[in-house]
Amino acid sequence: DLSVHLGIANKGLFFSYFTVTSLISRVLGGRLSDEFGRRKVLIFAMLIVGTGSVYIGFSSSAFHFFTGALIFGAGYGLSSPALFAWAADLAPDKFRGRGFSTLFMALEIGIGMGAMLAGQIYNGNPENFPVVFAGCGSLAFLAFVYLLFKGK
């Protein structure tokens, strides 16, 4: 809907920019996670995800919208390898499958609940785009603060 609101006919372009950036940053994210640690990479990634989300929400042109997709994709791509490696680090060998399935369930629940809540807030009104994306970004910033001060 935001694509259409900004006059972008092909809704898939956003996901193309996001996906390519995410794939590229995953390669880098895996290496950084191994070298600097899961937590440090996630702190940085959450800052990028939050910034990208807010940037997308306040986009007023296709250029800004696609720039937001690149920023958001980079943060998302950096976070994935660190999250899965951290799950592998924390789970005992005997229960590693449970650790990964718990992480996947949390991701799926977050995606589903986020989509439902975003749809309720958006409610077909383009003026609500900044609220939806700033809300998403604020959750990433909350994760950033948690990881910075609490998550060990």
Side-chain angles (χ1 to χ4, degrees), residues 5-42:
H5 177 70
L6 293 174
I8 302 164
N10 184 345
K11 293 180 183 181
L13 282 176
F14 174 87
F15 293 105
S16 296
Y17 282 95
F18 165 81
T19 302
V20 168
T21 307
S22 177
L23 289 172
I24 292 168
S25 64
R26 282 173 200 252
V27 173
L28 180 64
R31 290 181 187 160
L32 292 173
S33 174
D34 290 340
E35 187 173 335
F36 296 106
R38 312 329 180 189
R39 193 168 149 268
K40 287 181 183 177
V41 171
L42 283 171

Side-chain angles (χ1 to χ4, degrees), residues 32-144:
L32 292 173
S33 174
D34 290 340
E35 187 173 335
F36 296 106
R38 312 329 180 189
R39 193 168 149 268
K40 287 181 183 177
V41 171
L42 283 171
I43 288 170
F44 186 63
M46 288 303 99
L47 191 58
I48 296 171
V49 166
T51 301
S53 184
V54 171
Y55 195 91
I56 291 166
F58 287 95
S59 295
S60 58
S61 69
F63 174 79
H64 291 290
F65 185 59
F66 294 135
T67 301
L70 295 173
I71 296 168
F72 188 80
Y76 187 82
L78 284 173
S79 69
S80 290
L83 281 171
F84 286 99
W86 206 359
D89 294 345
L90 293 174
D93 290 342
K94 183 177 174 183
F95 299 115
R96 191 158 288 150
R98 290 181 190 175
F100 284 119
S101 66
T102 301
L103 177 57
F104 273 116
M105 285 189 298
L107 288 169
E108 294 298 325
I109 290 168
I111 290 167
M113 289 177 62
M116 286 189 337
L117 185 59
Q120 291 294 315
I121 294 169
Y122 166 57
N123 200 26
N125 183 356
E127 290 179 13
N128 292 335
F129 285 130
V131 176
V132 170
F133 285 95
C136 176
S138 67
L139 292 174
F141 289 130
L142 187 63
F144 164 78

